[in-house]
Every structure is written in structure tokens, then in C-alpha cells.
Amino acid sequence: MMRRTGRRRLAAGGVVAMVVLALAGCVPSRQEPGQATAAVADALAEAGSAGETARIAVGLLDDGRITGPVADTVLLDQLRVLDDAESALTTLVPPDAASSGQRTTGLKAVGDVSDVVVTAREWVAARSGGDLDDAATVPADADELLAELGSATVAVDAALAEAGGP
């Protein structure tokens, strides 16, 4: 009998130790203000690049230089880049009000670019024969879509400048 009790205590002690160790890793990361600003700038630089790449893909499709499936693949890849940028911003724990504001501005800018890239995928689908011509979100032509992508990219650039990026 005594042996079982000792094993149970040992097992219980091991479980408690594992829980304590696991919880010790749940402390939010603490960054210095400059590090947080740099993280925001990095995420925004990626988002800006994704917006520009989406503009290139739409322009090439409109000029007949790539096919719809190629353009859609490019746009889908850019949505993944934007998702990574948004994830970097949402998981950032800002150490001060300035970096918190930069993060908030960055999140809005990244979200706006993401929305336009989603719309671009719908435009590509409609142009490739999809039945989306009556959808209210599908731009009538590439010029309208390129203007939306341009505006969204300018917003990312402004947020990047606010965060001290190039």
C-alpha cells in the first residue's frame, strides 16, 4: 500500500511541476518601444509589398500578359503575406502609447489592403468567367480596382512612415 501512495505523490508532483513550467511560459513578451516600432514597420513593409504585388498581378491580367489562374494564385499568396503581417501586429504587446497607436494604425491599413485583395480575387474570378458580374463588390474594370489597391497601399505607406519606416 505504501508503495502506491508514494508513486501517486511522485506522479502528482510531476504533474504540478509540468503545469507550473507551462504557465511560466505564458508571460507576455516585453519589448522596448524601439523594438515594437520596428516590428510594426516590418509588418507594414510586408503589407505594402503585398499590395504592390497585387497591383502588378491585376495590371498584368488586364493587359493579357498572365492568365486568371496565375493572377489568382499571386493574389492568394499576397493574402497569406497580409495574414502574416496582421498576425505580427495582433500578437505584438506594445510597451507604450506611441507603439500602441502605430499598431492600431497598422492593423487598419493591413485590413484595408486585405479587403481590396479579396475584392481583386473576385474581379479575377469574374473576368475568368465566374458568375460574379452582378456582385456589388466586384469593380467594373481594372482601373477602378487598381485605384483601390493604390489607395490602400498609400495608407500602408503612411502608416509605415508613422512607424519610422522607409
Side-chain angles (χ1 to χ4, degrees):
M1 258 333 227
M2 191 66 146
R3 253 186 169 168
R4 271 191 190 158
T5 304
R7 286 184 187 164
R8 285 184 186 164
R9 285 185 189 166
L10 183 60
V15 169
V16 169
M18 287 176 27
V19 169
V20 168
L21 288 173
L23 291 177
C26 293
V27 176
S29 64
R30 173 83 164 97
Q31 292 183 327
E32 295 300 317
Q35 292 171 319
T37 296
V40 170
D42 288 347
L44 288 169
E46 291 297 317
S49 177
E52 287 298 327
T53 302
R55 286 179 63 187
I56 290 168
V58 168
L60 290 173
L61 179 63
D62 189 48
D63 292 343
R65 295 175 60 195
I66 61 174
T67 64
V70 170
D72 186 60
T73 300
V74 170
L75 294 173
L76 184 58
D77 287 345
Q78 299 325 298
L79 284 173
R80 289 183 183 112
V81 170
L82 291 163
D83 187 47
D84 289 345
E86 182 179 26
S87 179
L89 292 171
T90 57
T91 58
L92 175 69
V93 179
D96 60 5
S99 56
S100 178
Q102 292 165 353
R103 181 186 67 168
T104 299
T105 301
L107 280 168
K108 180 175 180 347
V110 171
D112 290 348
V113 172
S114 295
D115 290 345
V116 179
V117 173
V118 167
T119 300
R121 287 192 73 213
E122 290 178 341
W123 179 82
V124 168
R127 184 175 168 103
S128 299
D131 190 18
L132 293 167
D133 291 329
D134 293 331
T137 60
V138 178
D141 58 31
D143 292 338
E144 183 181 340
L145 182 56
L146 289 168
E148 288 180 33
L149 281 164
S151 295
T153 303
V154 166
V156 169
D157 290 343
L160 181 58
E162 180 184 318

